[in-house]
Amino acid sequence: GGVFLAHFLVLRKPVDVSRLYEPASLPALNIAGMAAWIAGFIVYKLAAPIGATLPALATINRSGGTVNLVGTLDNAATTFNVGNGTSIGTVTMNGGTIRNGTVQLNGGTGLVFANANNILDAVTLHGVLDLSAPSSVVRVFNGLTLLSEAGTSPGVANVTGSGSALVFQGTQSFNDATINLGSATTSGNLHNDGTGTLTLGSGVTVQGRGNIGSQAFVGGAATLINQGTIKANLDGQTLSISGNGVNTFTNQGTAQAPASGSTLSISGAI
């Protein structure tokens, strides 16, 4: 197995990178034991990355190796199927961006977040947003909708890896999902970057251990409005609401520490 690094370009038709064809006769892409950068052209070797945007993903059949998303996938009005049983398999977000549209996970798998430079921009995700690996990070721009894999019920974000973070940047609203932060042995983070306002709707539950309101990439005096439920639900653990991301914190919902020996710490302007 090799590594397939998709620094995306426009693929008008499917392509087999083991051969080079004229665009009129490109067959399906079969990735097996090779490494390739795709950036406005195809090469059968490692090359320096070149930024590009893919507006329409061609058919990719992965028969081995790893698929890394390192560029921008414009998924507008499209469903990007990833995970078990799909032709592309699991996609590793390695400094990549998915913009618009729907990402459909399959079999509880689909997206792996390998570093801190990944972005979901106006995306609907069907399946669990999995940030359970240490230092897993994803930044959210222009809204995020989380649903179950079947798309019929509110979704879940597991921000449970040590040092993991779900980062909202810019004024936006988030609703109808559960965000699990940390565990008995780890701390997770819900960051509110910049100077905008993040509104957690009435259908949101944020619970666990870690921090709500610190900032990771862009500083500023931000506002957090909670219309849902924030709770320290792990025995003997602390969930804090603090940092520039809650320079102003407005609680219109529920904030509580129901677990035995748990602490909900709130600091800043309320």
Side-chain angles (χ1 to χ4, degrees):
V3 180
F4 178 76
L5 299 171
H7 210 299
F8 282 119
L9 79 164
V10 178
L11 289 178
R12 297 298 181 186
K13 294 186 178 180
V15 57
D16 184 344
V17 296
S18 66
R19 303 162 65 188
L20 294 179
Y21 288 85
E22 292 299 322
S25 60
L26 295 176
L29 172 62
N30 191 355
I31 306 166
M34 62 85 179
W37 282 105
I38 295 183
F41 56 92
I42 299 173
V43 292
Y44 199 59
K45 61 181 180 179
L46 289 175
I50 300 173
T53 299
L54 176 69
L57 189 62
T59 300
I60 298 178
N61 297 313
R62 181 181 65 89
S63 61
T66 301
V67 179
N68 286 339
L69 175 57
V70 297
T72 298
L73 170 61
D74 191 344
N75 196 44
T78 304
T79 297
F80 183 31
N81 281 284
V82 294
N84 291 339
T86 66
S87 60
I88 197 170
T90 296
V91 173
T92 298
M93 298 286 288
N94 198 352
T97 296
I98 300 176
R99 181 175 296 147
N100 304 315
T102 298
V103 178
Q104 176 68 58
L105 276 58
N106 290 271
T109 65
L111 292 181
V112 174
F113 297 87
N115 57 35
N117 299 310
N118 305 296
I119 294 173
L120 297 178
D121 186 349
V123 166
T124 295
L125 179 69
H126 290 188
V128 174
L129 177 59
D130 185 5
L131 300 173
S132 61
S135 302
S136 297
V137 176
V138 65
R139 300 167 72 183
V140 175
F141 294 87
N142 300 309
L144 171 67
T145 299
L146 293 182
L147 294 170
S148 64
E149 194 168 305
T152 56
S153 57
V156 173
N158 287 330
V159 193
T160 53
S162 178
S164 59
L166 177 59
V167 185
F168 289 88
Q169 183 172 325
T171 295
Q172 53 190 304
S173 297
F174 179 73
N175 203 6
D176 297 327
T178 296
I179 300 174
N180 295 311
L181 296 179
S183 67
T185 58
T186 63
S187 294
N189 301 283
L190 176 59
H191 293 308
N192 186 20
D193 275 20
T195 59
T197 298
L198 173 62
T199 301
L200 302 177
S202 60
V204 170
T205 296
V206 183
Q207 59 189 9
R209 172 189 180 188
N211 174 266
I212 301 169
S214 53
Q215 297 180 325
F217 298 94
V218 179
T223 297
L224 177 67
I225 299 173
N226 174 48
Q227 299 172 342
T229 299
I230 296 175
K231 58 182 177 179
N233 68 325
L234 297 177
D235 290 352
Q237 306 302 326
T238 297
L239 180 62
S240 64
I241 302 173
S242 63
N244 285 339
V246 287
N247 186 70
T248 300
F249 174 57
T250 301
N251 184 40
Q252 300 171 346
T254 300
Q256 58 185 197
S260 176
S262 65
T263 300
L264 180 64
S265 173
I266 303 174
S267 62
I270 301 175

